[in-house]
Amino acid sequence: MKPTSFVESVNCAIEGVLYTARTQKHMRHHFLAALVVLVAALLLRITLLEFMLLALAISFVLFAELLNTAIEVVVDMISPEFHPMAKLAKDVAAGAVLVAAFGTAIMGYLVLSKYIFPMEKRLLAMVGTGSELGIIVSVILVLIAVIILKGVTASGTPLKGGLPSGHSAVAFSIATSVTLQAQDPLIALLCLILALMVSHSRLLLRIHTMREVVYGALTGVSITVVVNLLFNAFA
């Protein structure tokens, strides 16, 4: 039934947002990310202009997700059976969300990096720089830990499947070592992205579950940090 007043129109719009949040997990992820970014922005005391830019970028992503959901609903109504053109319409709509999210990520980096990077530099300095021997020992110990854990849990093989993910563990171990060696926040961010890409590939190939990948990442980071602290303590 078509709304007849402004209040009813607003209520319909709110229902649309709630429907999207209830049925689309990506929308819930966007809302959660927006909450984290806005709280961080307030805690970091960014300027009013920077806050406006962040709010605008976040709104653009949410708008794109709402539009994507609307397109999916219309396509499903028109073509309930599978059709290549229907799939193409959904893929293009999802691509719009991806482009919006990518642009928002760049905006968030440009705004927040100058506030976060100095704190990250101080944290990296507290842990200390890495050493060549420390990097080698870290990777070896991570591999040994992965094999032991897979043996204890009786799952997978050293190279495929099981808890934890060996690829994720090694990727995050190397990323942590490079981060500590470089002591540069931007390099740390790029290393983190590469490690996440390796971990994501294990999920896409259905070799590991999210739990196994997370445990692998925690194993790699924790062992590498501990080894680095020990090397610096006895240097």
Side-chain angles (χ1 to χ4, degrees):
M1 187 174 178
K2 187 176 180 179
T4 58
S5 66
F6 174 76
V7 174
E8 290 182 357
S9 298
V10 172
N11 288 336
C12 289
I14 294 174
E15 287 179 3
V17 175
L18 294 177
Y19 170 82
T20 305
R22 185 172 62 253
T23 60
Q24 306 297 319
K25 66 177 181 180
H26 289 126
M27 188 62 161
R28 296 192 292 272
H29 293 163
H30 292 323
F31 271 122
L32 180 60
L35 177 63
V36 172
V37 170
L38 292 178
V39 170
L42 291 174
L43 294 176
L44 294 172
R45 299 179 181 276
I46 67 175
T47 65
L48 179 60
L49 177 60
E50 291 170 336
F51 189 86
M52 291 170 58
L53 291 174
L54 280 180
L56 181 62
I58 290 171
S59 299
F60 185 55
V61 173
L62 298 179
F63 164 78
E65 187 63 53
L66 288 168
L67 189 61
N68 175 50
T69 302
I71 292 174
E72 287 185 351
V73 171
V74 173
V75 169
D76 290 339
M77 179 182 64
I78 298 174
S79 178
E81 302 297 330
F82 174 80
H83 192 282
M85 297 302 291
K87 177 182 181 301
L88 182 59
K90 290 185 176 183
D91 290 346
V92 173
V97 179
L98 180 62
V99 171
F102 185 73
T104 300
I106 294 176
M107 178 70 73
Y109 168 80
L110 293 176
V111 172
L112 298 178
S113 60
K114 67 178 183 180
Y115 297 96
I116 296 177
F117 279 5
M119 294 187 293
E120 186 178 349
K121 277 188 174 182
R122 290 194 293 269
L123 180 62
L124 291 174
M126 291 173 59
V127 179
T129 58
S131 63
E132 292 184 8
L133 183 58
I135 294 173
I136 296 173
V137 171
S138 296
V139 174
I140 294 174
L141 289 180
V142 167
L143 289 173
I144 293 174
V146 167
I147 295 174
I148 292 175
L149 289 172
K150 287 188 176 185
V152 171
T153 58
S155 59
T157 67
L159 297 178
K160 185 176 181 180
L163 178 71
S165 167
H167 286 74
S168 298
V170 173
F172 273 90
S173 174
I174 294 174
T176 304
S177 294
V178 174
T179 297
L180 295 176
Q181 185 73 24
Q183 293 286 311
D184 185 277
L186 180 57
I187 292 178
L189 178 61
L190 296 176
C191 289
L192 175 62
I193 292 174
L194 287 175
L196 289 173
M197 290 174 65
V198 171
S199 301
H200 188 235
S201 69
R202 310 307 286 174
L203 295 175
L204 290 179
L205 294 173
R206 300 185 184 279
I207 298 174
H208 287 285
T209 64
M210 178 62 74
R211 177 169 170 264
E212 293 168 348
V213 166
V214 171
Y215 272 97
L218 293 176
T219 300
V221 172
S222 58
I223 290 178
T224 304
V225 170
V226 170
V227 169
N228 185 80
L229 290 173
L230 291 176
F231 266 79
N232 288 329
F234 294 100

